[in-house]
Amino acid sequence: YWAGAAAGTGGPVISFFVEGPPVPQPRAKFRKGGRGYYPKRAAKSRKLSYVEHRALIRLRFREARATQQALPSAAGQGYYLGVTFRVQEKTPRVRWNDLDRLVSTVMDALTGEVWEDDSQVTHLHAGKALGARSPSTIITVRVDTGEEL
């Protein structure tokens, strides 16, 4: 993993890298009685489940936070979130890798770590890089000052 800071952003930035293919947020399943859950990965699958991938994002954020300048409180300002998903496919898959589901995984993982609720993200920049040799996710978080990175 790597962690770094962007220069000239007017404040602390936490940037970090999460190895492995990005995992989109699945549709929740419901049991009798209305209790929701996310499905687990298949027993023989080597891919991470949504819950495992979310935990990996949190781990990489904590590692980056320990080595970089702390983010100040965003009281009254909100947060900027920049995410680049590097995927191996050369053409977008219609259902599985929807950008909004990929972003939801990252936002859910950082809830409680960076912000209390993902509604505090006021500026979002996200994209997919197709045809990557090594699938991964690059994440940048900072207090939203209203300027572009």
Side-chain angles (χ1 to χ4, degrees):
Y1 97 98
W2 63 264
T9 58
V13 174
I14 294 181
S15 294
F16 59 103
F17 171 88
V18 180
E19 68 282 0
V23 178
Q25 181 184 41
R27 296 190 192 280
K29 306 283 184 184
F30 292 91
R31 293 188 175 108
K32 289 182 182 178
R35 186 166 179 185
Y37 69 96
Y38 289 111
K40 295 183 179 179
R41 67 183 162 118
K44 294 182 181 180
S45 174
R46 286 192 254 165
K47 291 183 180 180
L48 293 178
S49 71
Y50 164 72
V51 174
E52 292 165 332
H53 187 65
R54 198 173 59 184
L56 181 60
I57 293 169
R58 283 188 181 132
L59 174 67
R60 294 296 178 245
F61 172 78
R62 289 175 186 155
E63 291 170 348
R65 183 177 57 193
T67 62
Q68 298 177 42
Q69 187 177 0
L71 289 174
S73 171
Q77 287 183 303
Y79 291 96
Y80 168 93
L81 174 63
V83 190
T84 300
F85 301 100
R86 298 175 60 198
V87 295
Q88 288 181 316
E89 297 100 40
K90 293 187 188 215
T91 57
R93 290 168 64 187
V94 175
R95 287 188 170 163
W96 183 242
N97 283 335
D98 287 348
L99 190 57
D100 61 330
R101 289 180 179 269
L102 293 169
V103 169
S104 291
T105 299
V106 173
M107 292 179 73
D108 287 350
L110 297 177
T111 298
E113 296 291 334
V114 179
W115 44 75
E116 293 301 314
D117 186 76
D118 57 18
S119 66
Q120 291 176 279
V121 175
T122 54
H123 191 120
L124 174 66
H125 183 98
K128 282 195 285 188
L130 302 175
R133 288 186 180 166
S134 298
S136 58
T137 305
I138 301 167
I139 302 170
T140 302
V141 181
R142 68 173 168 88
V143 172
D144 189 7
T145 58
E147 59 187 68
E148 293 276 340
L149 271 180

